[in-house]
Amino acid sequence: MTPQQIALARHALGLPNKHRQSFRNWFVTSDGCTDFLEWEAMVKDGLARRRGPMEVFGGDYLYHLNRSGADAALKDGESLSREDWP
């Protein structure tokens, strides 16, 4: 993952935070944004999946990391929530 993709993945996971643990797994963006291109690359590389365009988000796209994408975004001492990642 590129540094920009790691930053986006960390944001999707709700990191950093004081608990050093993820608490979500989603990111919304629209076609034409730089973020959109980075997320599309992560989908192509098998690190994330895309839903949309979603009417509830005004036609934007919803992205979720898969386990390998989420693991790649973690820093030392951080973990994924067991509720979201059993």
Side-chain angles (χ1 to χ4, degrees):
M1 292 173 77
T2 69
Q4 177 65 18
Q5 290 170 345
I6 291 170
L8 291 169
R10 291 178 59 73
H11 180 83
L13 294 170
L15 294 168
N17 63 58
K18 68 181 181 177
H19 301 291
R20 300 181 57 81
Q21 185 176 65
S22 67
F23 66 89
R24 63 179 182 225
N25 180 18
W26 58 271
F27 192 96
V28 176
T29 190
S30 59
D31 189 359
C33 293
T34 303
D35 295 345
F36 177 83
L37 298 175
E38 295 291 346
W39 278 102
E40 285 296 299
M42 285 190 275
V43 169
K44 182 180 176 188
D45 291 341
L47 301 169
R49 64 187 185 280
R50 178 187 70 199
R51 293 179 58 199
M54 309 253 332
E55 189 174 323
V56 69
F57 295 122
D60 289 349
Y61 294 83
L62 176 66
Y63 292 88
H64 299 281
L65 295 162
N66 63 26
R67 184 61 186 244
S68 60
D71 284 338
L74 295 177
K75 291 185 177 181
D76 287 342
E78 293 179 336
S79 63
L80 299 173
S81 166
R82 290 182 189 212
E83 183 176 310
D84 298 325
W85 304 91

